[in-house]
Amino acid sequence: MEAATGAAVIDQESGPIGNNRAVQFVLLFALLILLPGLQGAFFGWLYFMLPTAVLFAMYRWEHGFRLVLAGLLIAAVIGGLIGAWGTIVLAGLLIPTGYTLASSALQHDGPAMSGLKGTVALLSCCLLLIAGQTLFSGVNPISAFLGSLDHDIEAALASYRQSEAFAPDTMALLEQSFYQMKTVLPNILPSLFASMAMFVSWLAMLTGNRLIRRLTGYQPWEEHTTWHLPDRLVWLFIGAAVLSLLPLGTIRLVGINLLILLSLVYVLQGFSILAFFLHKWKTPLLLRFFVYGMMLFQSFGAMLLLGVGLADVWFDMRRLGKSDPPPEDDVRP
């Protein structure tokens, strides 16, 4: 069956079967929220599935977001009883991301625009939470985090200085590295937050596209192997690189943060190109996931994906403008 891209909600079920499935989703969604708070070491990764679950619900049922809110309400009641308010707050940050992605897809936005909207939604929720906590507690959580980091660095350095296990040259190198961390991290914190929000949105789009297609026959966006960025975006990347080299203080910091964020954008485009060719060459599943892991979580692999993502702007490696159809993505990501 050929999947329809960007199609409308398909829920046509009614009666006991449809109601039972809706109730099952509500309970599973509540469990999805609560499990990371109960056993974060084992289930913490489930947080990242919340936007995907919201995206699925809004494609599966006409009033899917009501089911999401029902699941959130159940989780909030149980979380209040067991004192797991932190997980409810985090769910409250991630649910609007899924809602924004679903709304964007249903409006037939492309992957780039949907990803931008999802990232902005998550960042906006984070900023609202930070502002609310600062207003009511009088403590800025970012300042508290940076203060705690400085304290931990100083404590670690004091411990290393008292130890005789390090040579003087090694100790000097450690001190330089720690002090650079104290200086650099606050300056690039905006781009780190934005990059995390973008990665969460991208992951929700990637998993949601496959999940919705398998369970409904529709998919919000085209195959991820064909996702591409607007060509003109590369000039923003080049401009950010130029700004990051200027000795102009604040302007240089803006350039560095923008460069970090756009680098992730082109790494993700490079990942789509990598997936395109691995599918085209019918690479075995195990080897495929090994390559994905190596490329995404190794610094050299990430740099290679960045280079490929940038080069595609000029060389169109996948020949997306040609008449040949892209490779089908039927079984694997």
Side-chain angles (χ1 to χ4, degrees):
M1 178 178 59
E2 184 179 356
T5 304
V9 182
I10 64 149
D11 177 41
Q12 300 295 335
E13 287 184 334
S14 59
I17 295 179
N19 291 336
N20 287 341
R21 289 181 178 176
V23 171
Q24 288 172 4
F25 173 82
V26 170
L27 296 178
L28 286 174
F29 189 76
L31 188 63
L32 186 65
I33 294 173
L34 291 171
L35 278 178
L38 298 175
Q39 288 290 336
F42 295 101
F43 300 112
W45 60 274
L46 289 176
Y47 279 128
F48 298 103
M49 298 306 297
L50 286 173
T52 302
V54 176
L55 182 59
F56 166 73
M58 292 183 63
Y59 256 82
R60 181 65 181 80
W61 291 281
E62 184 178 359
H63 302 292
F65 195 64
R66 296 181 184 178
L67 302 180
V68 169
L69 294 179
L72 178 61
L73 179 60
I74 293 173
V77 172
I78 298 175
L81 294 175
I82 63 178
W85 283 111
T87 187
I88 307 301
V89 172
L90 188 52
L93 294 178
L94 294 169
I95 287 174
T97 304
Y99 177 85
T100 303
L101 291 174
S103 300
S104 179
L106 291 169
Q107 294 171 5
H108 306 287
D109 288 336
M113 179 57 67
S114 296
L116 175 61
K117 289 181 177 180
T119 302
V120 170
L122 183 52
L123 283 175
S124 300
C125 291
C126 290
L127 290 175
L128 286 174
L129 178 63
I130 291 171
Q133 183 172 344
T134 303
L135 180 64
F136 289 106
S137 68
V139 178
N140 187 312
I142 295 179
S143 300
F145 165 75
L146 293 176
S148 175
L149 180 65
D150 288 345
H151 178 270
D152 291 343
I153 289 176
E154 292 296 340
L157 284 175
S159 175
Y160 290 146
R161 291 190 187 104
Q162 294 174 1
S163 173
E164 298 180 356
F166 297 99
D169 292 343
T170 304
M171 191 66 230
L173 183 60
L174 280 173
E175 289 182 350
Q176 181 181 5
S177 299
F178 277 122
Y179 283 127
Q180 283 180 348
M181 186 187 302
K182 289 176 61 176
T183 304
V184 172
L185 185 60
N187 291 330
I188 64 172
L189 207 56
S191 62
L192 295 182
F193 273 119
S195 296
M196 287 189 289
M198 180 183 299
F199 186 79
V200 169
S201 297
W202 174 80
L203 185 63
M205 292 171 63
L206 193 67
T207 55
N209 217 31
R210 174 156 301 279
L211 179 68
I212 292 169
R213 176 178 180 176
R214 286 198 173 189
L215 297 182
T216 70
Y218 292 83
Q219 63 184 45
W221 304 278
E222 61 264 26
E223 296 292 348
H224 78 95
T225 54
T226 66
W227 290 0
H228 64 282
L229 297 166
D231 291 342
R232 289 175 293 181
L233 187 64
V234 73
W235 295 109
L236 185 59
F237 181 91
I238 294 172
V242 171
L243 290 179
S244 67
L245 298 175
L246 298 178
L248 297 177
T250 303
I251 295 179
R252 182 169 181 264
L253 287 179
V254 171
I256 291 173
N257 279 275
L258 192 56
L259 185 63
I260 292 173
L261 181 61
L262 290 174
S263 294
L264 176 62
V265 171
Y266 280 101
V267 165
L268 298 181
Q269 172 151 295
F271 180 86
S272 294
I273 298 169
L274 172 66
F276 177 91
F277 285 106
L278 290 181
H279 281 286
K280 183 177 181 180
W281 297 331
K282 302 186 184 302
T283 308
L285 179 62
L286 185 61
L287 178 59
R288 189 176 301 188
F289 278 101
F290 175 76
V291 173
Y292 288 157
M294 289 289 291
M295 286 296 180
L296 283 177
F297 301 111
Q298 293 277 339
S299 57
F300 174 77
M303 292 299 295
L304 184 59
L305 289 179
L306 172 61
V308 170
L310 287 169
D312 188 63
V313 175
W314 290 280
F315 297 106
D316 189 18
M317 299 176 183
R318 295 167 287 183
R319 297 293 186 267
L320 297 181
K322 305 297 182 182
S323 58
D324 295 338
E328 282 295 325
D329 192 11
D330 290 333
V331 238
R332 328 179 161 90

